[in-house]
Amino acid sequence: NTKITQSPRYLILGRANKSLECEQHLGHNAMYWYKQSAEKPPELMFLYNLKQLIRNETVPSRFIPECPDSSKLLLHISAVDPEDSAVYFCASSHGTVNTGQLYFGEGSKLTVL
Amino acid sequence: SQWGEENLQALSIQEGEDVTMNCSYKTYTTVVQWYRQKSGKGPAQLILIRSNEREKRSGRLRATLDTSSQSSSLSITGTLATDTAVYFCATDVSNYNVLYFGSGTKLTVEP
């Protein structure tokens, strides 16, 4: 799916700070960060709609989202913990009013040493 | 959790067989979506089924939704090796189009 691009695809960290980036070319208003740990389903972290943060699940404060414009989403990570090792997916949808399809990127795999 | 199953289920079948995967959910919903996730990729939607449909077909796929038993199923007929993936049911109980995924079924189709 080249319509949602994520970078970097792979990330290996000690206790450093890093940012994940996502850009969607679908013209969608809503953008999501999901975390998927090994052998688990994706779990919502954050949801933005029209650049406003409208859902913030229980996420450690070392994860800080940013939505600089409606097509871009960032996830800043500081002082990572081994439990943060997972694949982080960006997703988008037309909006949040009606239940509809989510389009996922290919993910950024974070490995914490 | 919104879903009845807590752990990833695993199924292994031979190419050409039919398979049915099931999900049960706890909170009332009128829409269930099914997603497929291939290794190293993000989930991709297969079918969205609403409560007034009860059954929906797309090619070799058939989804059902029974709101009285709060369950949904996805069937694949004539499986192919390329159907090997993890299949998730998902629903939104947030009214913000936030999908909550079931634990998933890891389907392996042997050629």
PDB file of all heavy atoms in Angstrom, chain A residues 32 34 36 39 41 44 47 55 57 89 93 95-96 99-102 104-106, chain B residues 8 33 35 37 40-43 45 88 92 95-102:
ATOM      1  N   TYR A  32      -4.554   7.629  12.477  1.00  0.00           N
ATOM      2  CA  TYR A  32      -4.432   6.823  13.685  1.00  0.00           C
ATOM      3  C   TYR A  32      -3.006   6.299  13.867  1.00  0.00           C
ATOM      4  O   TYR A  32      -2.319   6.026  12.883  1.00  0.00           O
ATOM      5  CB  TYR A  32      -5.324   5.566  13.577  1.00  0.00           C
ATOM      6  CG  TYR A  32      -6.761   5.778  13.194  1.00  0.00           C
ATOM      7  CD1 TYR A  32      -7.126   6.152  11.893  1.00  0.00           C
ATOM      8  CD2 TYR A  32      -7.783   5.543  14.110  1.00  0.00           C
ATOM      9  CE1 TYR A  32      -8.453   6.306  11.528  1.00  0.00           C
ATOM     10  CE2 TYR A  32      -9.115   5.680  13.754  1.00  0.00           C
ATOM     11  CZ  TYR A  32      -9.442   6.069  12.467  1.00  0.00           C
ATOM     12  OH  TYR A  32     -10.765   6.207  12.112  1.00  0.00           O
ATOM     13  N   TYR A  34      -1.607   2.882  15.693  1.00  0.00           N
ATOM     14  CA  TYR A  34      -1.880   1.622  16.348  1.00  0.00           C
ATOM     15  C   TYR A  34      -0.549   0.956  16.705  1.00  0.00           C
ATOM     16  O   TYR A  34       0.414   1.046  15.944  1.00  0.00           O
ATOM     17  CB  TYR A  34      -2.653   0.672  15.416  1.00  0.00           C
ATOM     18  CG  TYR A  34      -4.153   0.845  15.421  1.00  0.00           C
ATOM     19  CD1 TYR A  34      -4.762   1.824  14.642  1.00  0.00           C
ATOM     20  CD2 TYR A  34      -4.962   0.015  16.193  1.00  0.00           C
ATOM     21  CE1 TYR A  34      -6.142   1.969  14.639  1.00  0.00           C
ATOM     22  CE2 TYR A  34      -6.341   0.154  16.195  1.00  0.00           C
ATOM     23  CZ  TYR A  34      -6.925   1.125  15.418  1.00  0.00           C
ATOM     24  OH  TYR A  34      -8.298   1.267  15.414  1.00  0.00           O
ATOM     25  N   GLN A  36       1.145  -2.810  17.557  1.00  0.00           N
ATOM     26  CA  GLN A  36       0.910  -4.237  17.485  1.00  0.00           C
ATOM     27  C   GLN A  36       2.119  -4.981  18.054  1.00  0.00           C
ATOM     28  O   GLN A  36       3.189  -4.995  17.435  1.00  0.00           O
ATOM     29  CB  GLN A  36       0.625  -4.703  16.066  1.00  0.00           C
ATOM     30  CG  GLN A  36       0.235  -6.180  15.992  1.00  0.00           C
ATOM     31  CD  GLN A  36      -0.178  -6.615  14.602  1.00  0.00           C
ATOM     32  OE1 GLN A  36       0.293  -6.087  13.599  1.00  0.00           O
ATOM     33  NE2 GLN A  36      -1.098  -7.569  14.518  1.00  0.00           N
ATOM     34  N   GLU A  39       2.240 -11.414  18.189  1.00  0.00           N
ATOM     35  CA  GLU A  39       1.129 -12.354  18.383  1.00  0.00           C
ATOM     36  C   GLU A  39      -0.123 -11.681  18.969  1.00  0.00           C
ATOM     37  O   GLU A  39      -0.983 -12.367  19.538  1.00  0.00           O
ATOM     38  CB  GLU A  39       1.562 -13.515  19.294  1.00  0.00           C
ATOM     39  CG  GLU A  39       2.790 -14.269  18.810  1.00  0.00           C
ATOM     40  CD  GLU A  39       2.544 -15.091  17.564  1.00  0.00           C
ATOM     41  OE1 GLU A  39       1.653 -15.960  17.598  1.00  0.00           O
ATOM     42  OE2 GLU A  39       3.217 -14.850  16.538  1.00  0.00           O
ATOM     43  N   PRO A  41      -3.291  -8.443  18.483  1.00  0.00           N
ATOM     44  CA  PRO A  41      -3.946  -7.591  17.486  1.00  0.00           C
ATOM     45  C   PRO A  41      -3.466  -6.152  17.618  1.00  0.00           C
ATOM     46  O   PRO A  41      -2.922  -5.758  18.660  1.00  0.00           O
ATOM     47  CB  PRO A  41      -5.426  -7.700  17.872  1.00  0.00           C
ATOM     48  CG  PRO A  41      -5.423  -8.010  19.330  1.00  0.00           C
ATOM     49  CD  PRO A  41      -4.207  -8.841  19.571  1.00  0.00           C
ATOM     50  N   LEU A  44      -5.264   0.601  19.461  1.00  0.00           N
ATOM     51  CA  LEU A  44      -5.220   2.044  19.223  1.00  0.00           C
ATOM     52  C   LEU A  44      -4.366   2.747  20.263  1.00  0.00           C
ATOM     53  O   LEU A  44      -4.449   2.462  21.459  1.00  0.00           O
ATOM     54  CB  LEU A  44      -6.634   2.628  19.271  1.00  0.00           C
ATOM     55  CG  LEU A  44      -6.673   4.145  19.050  1.00  0.00           C
ATOM     56  CD1 LEU A  44      -6.398   4.476  17.579  1.00  0.00           C
ATOM     57  CD2 LEU A  44      -8.001   4.739  19.508  1.00  0.00           C
ATOM     58  N   LEU A  47      -5.815   8.944  17.960  1.00  0.00           N
ATOM     59  CA  LEU A  47      -6.631   9.244  16.789  1.00  0.00           C
ATOM     60  C   LEU A  47      -6.712  10.751  16.621  1.00  0.00           C
ATOM     61  O   LEU A  47      -7.074  11.463  17.559  1.00  0.00           O
ATOM     62  CB  LEU A  47      -8.038   8.659  16.952  1.00  0.00           C
ATOM     63  CG  LEU A  47      -9.138   9.208  16.033  1.00  0.00           C
ATOM     64  CD1 LEU A  47      -8.798   8.993  14.562  1.00  0.00           C
ATOM     65  CD2 LEU A  47     -10.479   8.577  16.377  1.00  0.00           C
ATOM     66  N   ARG A  55      -8.824  11.030  20.334  1.00  0.00           N
ATOM     67  CA  ARG A  55      -8.763   9.825  21.149  1.00  0.00           C
ATOM     68  C   ARG A  55      -7.322   9.618  21.568  1.00  0.00           C
ATOM     69  O   ARG A  55      -6.400   9.677  20.746  1.00  0.00           O
ATOM     70  CB  ARG A  55      -9.258   8.590  20.394  1.00  0.00           C
ATOM     71  CG  ARG A  55     -10.716   8.574  20.119  1.00  0.00           C
ATOM     72  CD  ARG A  55     -11.545   8.335  21.343  1.00  0.00           C
ATOM     73  NE  ARG A  55     -11.487   6.977  21.824  1.00  0.00           N
ATOM     74  CZ  ARG A  55     -12.468   6.374  22.487  1.00  0.00           C
ATOM     75  NH1 ARG A  55     -13.586   7.015  22.735  1.00  0.00           N
ATOM     76  NH2 ARG A  55     -12.327   5.134  22.912  1.00  0.00           N
ATOM     77  N   GLU A  57      -5.671   6.804  23.945  1.00  0.00           N
ATOM     78  CA  GLU A  57      -5.815   5.661  24.819  1.00  0.00           C
ATOM     79  C   GLU A  57      -4.732   5.701  25.904  1.00  0.00           C
ATOM     80  O   GLU A  57      -3.887   6.586  25.907  1.00  0.00           O
ATOM     81  CB  GLU A  57      -5.714   4.364  24.008  1.00  0.00           C
ATOM     82  CG  GLU A  57      -6.738   4.266  22.887  1.00  0.00           C
ATOM     83  CD  GLU A  57      -8.172   4.151  23.361  1.00  0.00           C
ATOM     84  OE1 GLU A  57      -8.628   3.031  23.650  1.00  0.00           O
ATOM     85  OE2 GLU A  57      -8.852   5.196  23.449  1.00  0.00           O
ATOM     86  N   PHE A  89       1.753   0.954  13.548  1.00  0.00           N
ATOM     87  CA  PHE A  89       1.057   1.186  12.289  1.00  0.00           C
ATOM     88  C   PHE A  89       0.371   2.538  12.295  1.00  0.00           C
ATOM     89  O   PHE A  89      -0.293   2.909  13.274  1.00  0.00           O
ATOM     90  CB  PHE A  89      -0.003   0.110  12.050  1.00  0.00           C
ATOM     91  CG  PHE A  89       0.558  -1.227  11.671  1.00  0.00           C
ATOM     92  CD1 PHE A  89       0.656  -2.245  12.600  1.00  0.00           C
ATOM     93  CD2 PHE A  89       0.989  -1.465  10.372  1.00  0.00           C
ATOM     94  CE1 PHE A  89       1.170  -3.484  12.259  1.00  0.00           C
ATOM     95  CE2 PHE A  89       1.511  -2.706  10.015  1.00  0.00           C
ATOM     96  CZ  PHE A  89       1.609  -3.706  10.966  1.00  0.00           C
ATOM     97  N   SER A  93      -8.643   7.090   7.689  1.00  0.00           N
ATOM     98  CA  SER A  93      -9.997   6.828   7.233  1.00  0.00           C
ATOM     99  C   SER A  93     -10.605   8.146   6.780  1.00  0.00           C
ATOM    100  O   SER A  93     -10.093   9.224   7.091  1.00  0.00           O
ATOM    101  CB  SER A  93     -10.853   6.197   8.339  1.00  0.00           C
ATOM    102  OG  SER A  93     -11.063   7.111   9.399  1.00  0.00           O
ATOM    103  N   GLY A  95     -13.179   9.724   7.754  1.00  0.00           N
ATOM    104  CA  GLY A  95     -13.512  10.570   8.882  1.00  0.00           C
ATOM    105  C   GLY A  95     -13.841   9.709  10.070  1.00  0.00           C
ATOM    106  O   GLY A  95     -13.489   8.526  10.119  1.00  0.00           O
ATOM    107  N   THR A  96     -14.536  10.299  11.030  1.00  0.00           N
ATOM    108  CA  THR A  96     -14.861   9.557  12.247  1.00  0.00           C
ATOM    109  C   THR A  96     -16.359   9.498  12.528  1.00  0.00           C
ATOM    110  O   THR A  96     -16.768   8.936  13.535  1.00  0.00           O
ATOM    111  CB  THR A  96     -14.165  10.192  13.458  1.00  0.00           C
ATOM    112  OG1 THR A  96     -14.626  11.542  13.588  1.00  0.00           O
ATOM    113  CG2 THR A  96     -12.658  10.190  13.304  1.00  0.00           C
ATOM    114  N   THR A  99     -18.887   4.494  10.899  1.00  0.00           N
ATOM    115  CA  THR A  99     -17.957   3.369  10.916  1.00  0.00           C
ATOM    116  C   THR A  99     -17.562   3.001   9.499  1.00  0.00           C
ATOM    117  O   THR A  99     -18.419   2.737   8.658  1.00  0.00           O
ATOM    118  CB  THR A  99     -18.602   2.152  11.593  1.00  0.00           C
ATOM    119  OG1 THR A  99     -18.950   2.489  12.926  1.00  0.00           O
ATOM    120  CG2 THR A  99     -17.630   0.987  11.620  1.00  0.00           C
ATOM    121  N   GLY A 100     -16.286   3.019   9.235  1.00  0.00           N
ATOM    122  CA  GLY A 100     -15.821   2.729   7.890  1.00  0.00           C
ATOM    123  C   GLY A 100     -14.462   2.078   7.899  1.00  0.00           C
ATOM    124  O   GLY A 100     -13.878   1.802   8.947  1.00  0.00           O
ATOM    125  N   GLN A 101     -13.958   1.852   6.711  1.00  0.00           N
ATOM    126  CA  GLN A 101     -12.707   1.155   6.527  1.00  0.00           C
ATOM    127  C   GLN A 101     -11.523   1.985   7.003  1.00  0.00           C
ATOM    128  O   GLN A 101     -11.471   3.197   6.786  1.00  0.00           O
ATOM    129  CB  GLN A 101     -12.533   0.821   5.044  1.00  0.00           C
ATOM    130  CG  GLN A 101     -11.276   0.070   4.702  1.00  0.00           C
ATOM    131  CD  GLN A 101     -11.221  -0.299   3.236  1.00  0.00           C
ATOM    132  OE1 GLN A 101     -12.179  -0.104   2.490  1.00  0.00           O
ATOM    133  NE2 GLN A 101     -10.094  -0.838   2.795  1.00  0.00           N
ATOM    134  N   LEU A 102     -10.581   1.300   7.645  1.00  0.00           N
ATOM    135  CA  LEU A 102      -9.289   1.891   7.952  1.00  0.00           C
ATOM    136  C   LEU A 102      -8.271   1.374   6.947  1.00  0.00           C
ATOM    137  O   LEU A 102      -8.277   0.188   6.600  1.00  0.00           O
ATOM    138  CB  LEU A 102      -8.834   1.522   9.366  1.00  0.00           C
ATOM    139  CG  LEU A 102      -9.127   2.530  10.482  1.00  0.00           C
ATOM    140  CD1 LEU A 102     -10.607   2.778  10.613  1.00  0.00           C
ATOM    141  CD2 LEU A 102      -8.514   2.084  11.785  1.00  0.00           C
ATOM    142  N   PHE A 104      -4.287   0.900   6.358  1.00  0.00           N
ATOM    143  CA  PHE A 104      -3.076   0.831   7.152  1.00  0.00           C
ATOM    144  C   PHE A 104      -1.831   0.963   6.283  1.00  0.00           C
ATOM    145  O   PHE A 104      -1.795   0.500   5.135  1.00  0.00           O
ATOM    146  CB  PHE A 104      -3.000  -0.501   7.898  1.00  0.00           C
ATOM    147  CG  PHE A 104      -3.927  -0.589   9.072  1.00  0.00           C
ATOM    148  CD1 PHE A 104      -5.269  -0.898   8.908  1.00  0.00           C
ATOM    149  CD2 PHE A 104      -3.456  -0.357  10.356  1.00  0.00           C
ATOM    150  CE1 PHE A 104      -6.129  -0.976   9.995  1.00  0.00           C
ATOM    151  CE2 PHE A 104      -4.304  -0.440  11.449  1.00  0.00           C
ATOM    152  CZ  PHE A 104      -5.636  -0.746  11.268  1.00  0.00           C
ATOM    153  N   GLY A 105      -0.794   1.581   6.857  1.00  0.00           N
ATOM    154  CA  GLY A 105       0.519   1.550   6.256  1.00  0.00           C
ATOM    155  C   GLY A 105       1.195   0.217   6.544  1.00  0.00           C
ATOM    156  O   GLY A 105       0.587  -0.691   7.127  1.00  0.00           O
ATOM    157  N   GLU A 106       2.438   0.099   6.149  1.00  0.00           N
ATOM    158  CA  GLU A 106       3.149  -1.165   6.307  1.00  0.00           C
ATOM    159  C   GLU A 106       3.864  -1.279   7.653  1.00  0.00           C
ATOM    160  O   GLU A 106       4.432  -2.317   7.956  1.00  0.00           O
ATOM    161  CB  GLU A 106       4.121  -1.367   5.157  1.00  0.00           C
ATOM    162  CG  GLU A 106       3.410  -1.437   3.800  1.00  0.00           C
ATOM    163  CD  GLU A 106       4.119  -2.306   2.804  1.00  0.00           C
ATOM    164  OE1 GLU A 106       5.365  -2.277   2.778  1.00  0.00           O
ATOM    165  OE2 GLU A 106       3.427  -3.012   2.027  1.00  0.00           O
TER     166      GLU A 106
ATOM    167  N   LEU B   8      -4.598 -15.615  20.181  1.00  0.00           N
ATOM    168  CA  LEU B   8      -4.546 -15.915  18.761  1.00  0.00           C
ATOM    169  C   LEU B   8      -4.830 -17.401  18.534  1.00  0.00           C
ATOM    170  O   LEU B   8      -4.225 -18.263  19.161  1.00  0.00           O
ATOM    171  CB  LEU B   8      -3.149 -15.555  18.230  1.00  0.00           C
ATOM    172  CG  LEU B   8      -2.874 -15.810  16.765  1.00  0.00           C
ATOM    173  CD1 LEU B   8      -3.665 -14.841  15.898  1.00  0.00           C
ATOM    174  CD2 LEU B   8      -1.375 -15.663  16.485  1.00  0.00           C
ATOM    175  N   GLN B  33     -16.226  -5.569  10.901  1.00  0.00           N
ATOM    176  CA  GLN B  33     -15.320  -5.609   9.751  1.00  0.00           C
ATOM    177  C   GLN B  33     -14.370  -6.792   9.910  1.00  0.00           C
ATOM    178  O   GLN B  33     -13.985  -7.139  11.030  1.00  0.00           O
ATOM    179  CB  GLN B  33     -14.509  -4.308   9.650  1.00  0.00           C
ATOM    180  CG  GLN B  33     -15.377  -3.069   9.505  1.00  0.00           C
ATOM    181  CD  GLN B  33     -14.578  -1.810   9.281  1.00  0.00           C
ATOM    182  OE1 GLN B  33     -13.625  -1.795   8.486  1.00  0.00           O
ATOM    183  NE2 GLN B  33     -14.947  -0.745   9.969  1.00  0.00           N
ATOM    184  N   TYR B  35     -10.570  -8.112   8.648  1.00  0.00           N
ATOM    185  CA  TYR B  35      -9.297  -7.693   8.068  1.00  0.00           C
ATOM    186  C   TYR B  35      -8.377  -8.901   7.926  1.00  0.00           C
ATOM    187  O   TYR B  35      -8.437  -9.854   8.709  1.00  0.00           O
ATOM    188  CB  TYR B  35      -8.612  -6.648   8.959  1.00  0.00           C
ATOM    189  CG  TYR B  35      -9.215  -5.270   8.846  1.00  0.00           C
ATOM    190  CD1 TYR B  35     -10.429  -4.969   9.437  1.00  0.00           C
ATOM    191  CD2 TYR B  35      -8.570  -4.273   8.116  1.00  0.00           C
ATOM    192  CE1 TYR B  35     -10.999  -3.711   9.313  1.00  0.00           C
ATOM    193  CE2 TYR B  35      -9.124  -3.007   7.997  1.00  0.00           C
ATOM    194  CZ  TYR B  35     -10.338  -2.739   8.591  1.00  0.00           C
ATOM    195  OH  TYR B  35     -10.897  -1.488   8.460  1.00  0.00           O
ATOM    196  N   GLN B  37      -4.231  -9.818   7.550  1.00  0.00           N
ATOM    197  CA  GLN B  37      -2.884  -9.279   7.694  1.00  0.00           C
ATOM    198  C   GLN B  37      -1.874 -10.340   7.266  1.00  0.00           C
ATOM    199  O   GLN B  37      -1.707 -11.365   7.930  1.00  0.00           O
ATOM    200  CB  GLN B  37      -2.606  -8.847   9.141  1.00  0.00           C
ATOM    201  CG  GLN B  37      -1.252  -8.177   9.316  1.00  0.00           C
ATOM    202  CD  GLN B  37      -1.035  -7.656  10.724  1.00  0.00           C
ATOM    203  OE1 GLN B  37      -1.604  -8.155  11.689  1.00  0.00           O
ATOM    204  NE2 GLN B  37      -0.201  -6.631  10.854  1.00  0.00           N
ATOM    205  N   GLY B  40       4.405  -9.287   7.693  1.00  0.00           N
ATOM    206  CA  GLY B  40       5.184  -8.094   7.393  1.00  0.00           C
ATOM    207  C   GLY B  40       4.390  -6.950   6.808  1.00  0.00           C
ATOM    208  O   GLY B  40       4.973  -5.932   6.389  1.00  0.00           O
ATOM    209  N   LYS B  41       3.072  -7.078   6.767  1.00  0.00           N
ATOM    210  CA  LYS B  41       2.221  -6.038   6.181  1.00  0.00           C
ATOM    211  C   LYS B  41       1.226  -5.516   7.203  1.00  0.00           C
ATOM    212  O   LYS B  41       1.024  -6.100   8.267  1.00  0.00           O
ATOM    213  CB  LYS B  41       1.444  -6.617   4.982  1.00  0.00           C
ATOM    214  CG  LYS B  41       2.322  -7.219   3.903  1.00  0.00           C
ATOM    215  CD  LYS B  41       3.133  -6.164   3.189  1.00  0.00           C
ATOM    216  CE  LYS B  41       3.897  -6.759   2.010  1.00  0.00           C
ATOM    217  NZ  LYS B  41       4.735  -5.743   1.325  1.00  0.00           N
ATOM    218  N   GLY B  42       0.587  -4.398   6.855  1.00  0.00           N
ATOM    219  CA  GLY B  42      -0.489  -3.898   7.682  1.00  0.00           C
ATOM    220  C   GLY B  42      -1.793  -4.618   7.380  1.00  0.00           C
ATOM    221  O   GLY B  42      -1.941  -5.239   6.324  1.00  0.00           O
ATOM    222  N   PRO B  43      -2.750  -4.573   8.298  1.00  0.00           N
ATOM    223  CA  PRO B  43      -4.058  -5.180   8.027  1.00  0.00           C
ATOM    224  C   PRO B  43      -4.755  -4.519   6.841  1.00  0.00           C
ATOM    225  O   PRO B  43      -4.599  -3.314   6.627  1.00  0.00           O
ATOM    226  CB  PRO B  43      -4.837  -4.920   9.320  1.00  0.00           C
ATOM    227  CG  PRO B  43      -3.793  -4.643  10.368  1.00  0.00           C
ATOM    228  CD  PRO B  43      -2.680  -3.975   9.645  1.00  0.00           C
ATOM    229  N   GLN B  45      -8.661  -4.412   4.873  1.00  0.00           N
ATOM    230  CA  GLN B  45     -10.055  -4.806   5.021  1.00  0.00           C
ATOM    231  C   GLN B  45     -10.483  -5.773   3.929  1.00  0.00           C
ATOM    232  O   GLN B  45     -10.146  -5.609   2.758  1.00  0.00           O
ATOM    233  CB  GLN B  45     -10.967  -3.571   4.978  1.00  0.00           C
ATOM    234  CG  GLN B  45     -12.398  -3.876   5.384  1.00  0.00           C
ATOM    235  CD  GLN B  45     -13.388  -2.867   4.832  1.00  0.00           C
ATOM    236  OE1 GLN B  45     -13.497  -2.674   3.619  1.00  0.00           O
ATOM    237  NE2 GLN B  45     -14.134  -2.230   5.715  1.00  0.00           N
ATOM    238  N   PHE B  88      -8.509 -10.976  11.266  1.00  0.00           N
ATOM    239  CA  PHE B  88      -9.059 -10.295  12.442  1.00  0.00           C
ATOM    240  C   PHE B  88     -10.488  -9.850  12.167  1.00  0.00           C
ATOM    241  O   PHE B  88     -10.779  -9.328  11.087  1.00  0.00           O
ATOM    242  CB  PHE B  88      -8.251  -9.030  12.769  1.00  0.00           C
ATOM    243  CG  PHE B  88      -6.846  -9.265  13.237  1.00  0.00           C
ATOM    244  CD1 PHE B  88      -5.775  -9.061  12.381  1.00  0.00           C
ATOM    245  CD2 PHE B  88      -6.587  -9.658  14.545  1.00  0.00           C
ATOM    246  CE1 PHE B  88      -4.466  -9.241  12.815  1.00  0.00           C
ATOM    247  CE2 PHE B  88      -5.281  -9.845  14.981  1.00  0.00           C
ATOM    248  CZ  PHE B  88      -4.229  -9.636  14.112  1.00  0.00           C
ATOM    249  N   ASP B  92     -16.331  -1.159  16.067  1.00  0.00           N
ATOM    250  CA  ASP B  92     -16.177   0.158  16.654  1.00  0.00           C
ATOM    251  C   ASP B  92     -17.259   0.354  17.704  1.00  0.00           C
ATOM    252  O   ASP B  92     -18.436   0.370  17.373  1.00  0.00           O
ATOM    253  CB  ASP B  92     -16.300   1.232  15.565  1.00  0.00           C
ATOM    254  CG  ASP B  92     -16.338   2.648  16.129  1.00  0.00           C
ATOM    255  OD1 ASP B  92     -15.832   2.859  17.260  1.00  0.00           O
ATOM    256  OD2 ASP B  92     -16.860   3.531  15.437  1.00  0.00           O
ATOM    257  N   ASN B  95     -17.891   5.098  18.659  1.00  0.00           N
ATOM    258  CA  ASN B  95     -18.575   6.122  17.859  1.00  0.00           C
ATOM    259  C   ASN B  95     -17.615   7.146  17.255  1.00  0.00           C
ATOM    260  O   ASN B  95     -18.025   8.235  16.872  1.00  0.00           O
ATOM    261  CB  ASN B  95     -19.654   6.847  18.673  1.00  0.00           C
ATOM    262  CG  ASN B  95     -20.760   5.905  19.085  1.00  0.00           C
ATOM    263  OD1 ASN B  95     -21.178   5.063  18.296  1.00  0.00           O
ATOM    264  ND2 ASN B  95     -21.213   6.027  20.319  1.00  0.00           N
ATOM    265  N   TYR B  96     -16.334   6.793  17.206  1.00  0.00           N
ATOM    266  CA  TYR B  96     -15.341   7.651  16.567  1.00  0.00           C
ATOM    267  C   TYR B  96     -14.607   6.921  15.444  1.00  0.00           C
ATOM    268  O   TYR B  96     -13.527   7.331  15.054  1.00  0.00           O
ATOM    269  CB  TYR B  96     -14.312   8.138  17.594  1.00  0.00           C
ATOM    270  CG  TYR B  96     -14.827   9.202  18.527  1.00  0.00           C
ATOM    271  CD1 TYR B  96     -15.288   8.877  19.794  1.00  0.00           C
ATOM    272  CD2 TYR B  96     -14.851  10.536  18.134  1.00  0.00           C
ATOM    273  CE1 TYR B  96     -15.756   9.850  20.652  1.00  0.00           C
ATOM    274  CE2 TYR B  96     -15.307  11.527  18.989  1.00  0.00           C
ATOM    275  CZ  TYR B  96     -15.764  11.172  20.251  1.00  0.00           C
ATOM    276  OH  TYR B  96     -16.225  12.138  21.097  1.00  0.00           O
ATOM    277  N   ASN B  97     -15.204   5.851  14.934  1.00  0.00           N
ATOM    278  CA  ASN B  97     -14.555   5.014  13.920  1.00  0.00           C
ATOM    279  C   ASN B  97     -13.207   4.502  14.411  1.00  0.00           C
ATOM    280  O   ASN B  97     -12.220   4.478  13.667  1.00  0.00           O
ATOM    281  CB  ASN B  97     -14.388   5.767  12.591  1.00  0.00           C
ATOM    282  CG  ASN B  97     -14.214   4.803  11.426  1.00  0.00           C
ATOM    283  OD1 ASN B  97     -14.749   3.699  11.427  1.00  0.00           O
ATOM    284  ND2 ASN B  97     -13.450   5.222  10.424  1.00  0.00           N
ATOM    285  N   VAL B  98     -13.150   4.129  15.674  1.00  0.00           N
ATOM    286  CA  VAL B  98     -11.970   3.480  16.231  1.00  0.00           C
ATOM    287  C   VAL B  98     -12.222   1.981  16.190  1.00  0.00           C
ATOM    288  O   VAL B  98     -13.212   1.497  16.741  1.00  0.00           O
ATOM    289  CB  VAL B  98     -11.715   3.908  17.687  1.00  0.00           C
ATOM    290  CG1 VAL B  98     -10.603   3.074  18.293  1.00  0.00           C
ATOM    291  CG2 VAL B  98     -11.377   5.386  17.741  1.00  0.00           C
ATOM    292  N   LEU B  99     -11.375   1.247  15.533  1.00  0.00           N
ATOM    293  CA  LEU B  99     -11.552  -0.193  15.443  1.00  0.00           C
ATOM    294  C   LEU B  99     -10.841  -0.899  16.588  1.00  0.00           C
ATOM    295  O   LEU B  99      -9.668  -0.615  16.872  1.00  0.00           O
ATOM    296  CB  LEU B  99     -11.019  -0.722  14.118  1.00  0.00           C
ATOM    297  CG  LEU B  99     -11.855  -0.391  12.888  1.00  0.00           C
ATOM    298  CD1 LEU B  99     -11.323  -1.126  11.680  1.00  0.00           C
ATOM    299  CD2 LEU B  99     -13.319  -0.728  13.110  1.00  0.00           C
ATOM    300  N   TYR B 100     -11.591  -1.795  17.230  1.00  0.00           N
ATOM    301  CA  TYR B 100     -11.027  -2.691  18.231  1.00  0.00           C
ATOM    302  C   TYR B 100     -10.999  -4.080  17.614  1.00  0.00           C
ATOM    303  O   TYR B 100     -12.026  -4.584  17.162  1.00  0.00           O
ATOM    304  CB  TYR B 100     -11.867  -2.654  19.512  1.00  0.00           C
ATOM    305  CG  TYR B 100     -11.791  -1.318  20.188  1.00  0.00           C
ATOM    306  CD1 TYR B 100     -12.702  -0.313  19.872  1.00  0.00           C
ATOM    307  CD2 TYR B 100     -10.797  -1.029  21.112  1.00  0.00           C
ATOM    308  CE1 TYR B 100     -12.621   0.929  20.460  1.00  0.00           C
ATOM    309  CE2 TYR B 100     -10.709   0.214  21.711  1.00  0.00           C
ATOM    310  CZ  TYR B 100     -11.619   1.193  21.383  1.00  0.00           C
ATOM    311  OH  TYR B 100     -11.535   2.426  21.959  1.00  0.00           O
ATOM    312  N   PHE B 101      -9.812  -4.653  17.574  1.00  0.00           N
ATOM    313  CA  PHE B 101      -9.600  -5.913  16.882  1.00  0.00           C
ATOM    314  C   PHE B 101      -9.718  -7.099  17.829  1.00  0.00           C
ATOM    315  O   PHE B 101      -9.274  -7.045  18.982  1.00  0.00           O
ATOM    316  CB  PHE B 101      -8.204  -5.934  16.247  1.00  0.00           C
ATOM    317  CG  PHE B 101      -8.065  -5.014  15.062  1.00  0.00           C
ATOM    318  CD1 PHE B 101      -7.822  -3.669  15.235  1.00  0.00           C
ATOM    319  CD2 PHE B 101      -8.185  -5.509  13.769  1.00  0.00           C
ATOM    320  CE1 PHE B 101      -7.700  -2.812  14.141  1.00  0.00           C
ATOM    321  CE2 PHE B 101      -8.063  -4.678  12.668  1.00  0.00           C
ATOM    322  CZ  PHE B 101      -7.811  -3.329  12.862  1.00  0.00           C
ATOM    323  N   GLY B 102     -10.306  -8.197  17.316  1.00  0.00           N
ATOM    324  CA  GLY B 102     -10.271  -9.449  18.036  1.00  0.00           C
ATOM    325  C   GLY B 102      -8.863 -10.014  18.040  1.00  0.00           C
ATOM    326  O   GLY B 102      -7.952  -9.465  17.413  1.00  0.00           O
TER     327      GLY B 102
END
